[in-house]
């Protein structure tokens, strides 16, 4: 394994670009190969079996692309498929999910109560809840499923402050999350609204999940002596999606913070 090999990152779509963005900022010398499964988006309301099948195929694709690590940049995929991918690949390359780094981060703090907002599938797996309680059985947890927030963010309503404020109030009000010390934004899309959510819940620490995951990846690669020493090169990353419409290019900018080129990859087509 060479340290100049790329980091593979995948998500159900383009929301995982919030994680890719944090990794790109923290580790600018790294080359990223991103795969967004826009054909099967959203994962949040799919069965566990279906999600595991998609994740297995994408992990195979990233391993074939010679990635030195795989980052599951999707909460729903992490909650349903991490154990499987770890079993399949961890002997060859590190597999990182977006849940365990947050559990560890919370374990290092003195939070007494935690709120979690995530997709229905992530909440239904109880992965966050069980891992948090295993670490601290006295922790008070309030977990809520949001069916539509990811789609609302994808619609690009961030540019309509009054609408966004109403949406934030709907999901993050005290009636949903009374007296919590910290909040996990348990879906790749939500960090786009992190600043506004933090301003709305001044009493609560809104955890910067992409940064926590990026730091975890950096520590892991460093430990394995796999951090790249290549020179920074703006055009080096590759972004693939399994179904292409020009709209995805528009929304990708919301999540990655800058315009990027998305390439269609027929991974799931019959001759792909
Ligand atoms: N990427 C998903 C997650 O983090 C959100 C979108 C979806 O439901 O696929 O849970």
């Amino acid at each position: 394994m060479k340290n100049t090999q790329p980091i593979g990152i995948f998500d159900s779509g383009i929301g995982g670009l919030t994680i890719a963005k944090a990794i790109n900022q923290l580790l600018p010398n790294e080359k990223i190969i991103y795969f967004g499964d826009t054909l099967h988006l959203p994962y949040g309301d799919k069965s566990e079996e279906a999600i595991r099948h998609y994740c297995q195929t994408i992990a195979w694709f990233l391993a074939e692309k010679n990635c030195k690590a795989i980052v599951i940049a999707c909460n729903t995929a992490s909650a349903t498929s991490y154990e499987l991918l770890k079993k399949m690949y961890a002997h060859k390359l590190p597999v990182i999910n977006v849940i365990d780094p947050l559990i560890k981060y919370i374990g290092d703090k003195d939070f007494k109560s935690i709120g979690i907002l995530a997709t229905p599938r992530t909440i239904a797996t109880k992965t966050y809840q069980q891992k948090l309680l295993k670490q601290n059985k006295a922790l008070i947890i309030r977990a809520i499923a949001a069916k539509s927030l990811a789609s609302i963010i994808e619609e690009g309503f961030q540019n309509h402050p009054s609408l966004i404020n109403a949406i934030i109030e709907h999901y993050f009000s005290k009636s949903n999350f009374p007296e919590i010390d910290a909040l996990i934004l348990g879906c790749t899309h939500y960090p786009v609204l992190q600043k506004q959510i933090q301003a709305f819940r001044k009493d609560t620490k809104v955890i910067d999940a992409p940064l926590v995951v990026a730091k975890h990846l950096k520590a892991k690669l460093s430990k394995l002596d796999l951090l790249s020493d290549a020179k920074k090169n703006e055009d080096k990353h590759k972004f693939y999606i399994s179904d292409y419409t020009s709209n995805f290019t528009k929304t990708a900018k919301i999540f990655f913070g800058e315009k990027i080129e998305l390439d269609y990859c027929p991974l799931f087509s019959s001759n792909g």
Side-chain angles (χ1 to χ4, degrees), residues 178-228:
E179 308 312 324
I180 44 164
D181 294 333
L183 184 62
I184 296 176
L185 302 180
C187 169
T188 48
H189 290 53
Y190 307 164
V192 167
L193 297 179
Q194 175 157 345
K195 277 200 188 105
Q196 293 97 317
I197 298 166
Q198 185 64 80
F200 179 69
R201 290 298 301 248
K202 291 198 179 66
D203 58 331
T204 301
K205 167 77 184 162
V206 180
I207 300 169
D208 187 342
L211 182 62
V212 172
V213 173
K215 282 183 172 168
H216 177 87
L217 174 67
K218 183 178 179 182
K220 185 93 187 174
L221 291 179
S222 167
K223 201 168 155 196
L224 296 169
D225 206 12
L226 280 177
L227 279 174
S228 173

Side-chain angles (χ1 to χ4, degrees), residues 6 17 41 58 71 80 111 122 152 193 198 206-207 213 240 271:
L17 287 169
L41 180 80
I58 299 165
V71 179
T80 54
F111 300 134
T122 300
I152 292 171
L193 297 179
Q198 185 64 80
V206 180
I207 300 169
V213 173
Y240 296 102
N271 48 4

Side-chain angles (χ1 to χ4, degrees), residues 71-199:
V71 179
I72 310 173
C74 172
N75 287 265
T76 313
S78 295
T80 54
S81 312
Y82 170 62
E83 292 302 331
L84 174 71
L85 297 191
K86 194 171 80 170
K87 216 179 277 165
M88 294 176 71
Y89 289 98
H91 61 288
K92 285 195 241 167
L93 72 175
V95 180
I96 311 280
N97 69 74
V98 288
I99 295 177
D100 288 329
L102 288 191
I103 306 293
K104 188 174 177 310
Y105 170 90
I106 290 163
D108 293 340
K109 304 276 183 261
D110 191 26
F111 300 134
K112 306 271 184 296
S113 52
I114 293 279
I116 309 165
L117 193 83
T119 64
R121 174 57 59 208
T122 300
I123 296 296
T125 65
K126 292 196 163 45
T127 308
Y128 270 112
Q129 298 94 310
Q130 284 164 357
K131 288 190 173 196
L132 284 168
L133 285 177
K134 195 172 167 203
Q135 182 170 260
N136 172 8
K137 60 180 186 323
L139 192 70
I140 298 164
I141 301 170
R142 176 108 173 121
I144 294 185
K147 203 166 175 334
S148 317
L149 186 55
S151 323
I152 292 171
I153 292 170
E154 236 165 78
E155 289 282 328
F157 285 125
Q158 291 76 277
N159 304 328
H160 303 269
S162 58
L163 206 54
I164 276 300
N165 288 342
I167 289 163
I168 288 176
E169 200 166 331
H170 172 76
Y171 285 104
F172 298 98
S173 66
K174 290 254 171 168
S175 56
N176 264 358
F177 292 109
E179 308 312 324
I180 44 164
D181 294 333
L183 184 62
I184 296 176
L185 302 180
C187 169
T188 48
H189 290 53
Y190 307 164
V192 167
L193 297 179
Q194 175 157 345
K195 277 200 188 105
Q196 293 97 317
I197 298 166
Q198 185 64 80

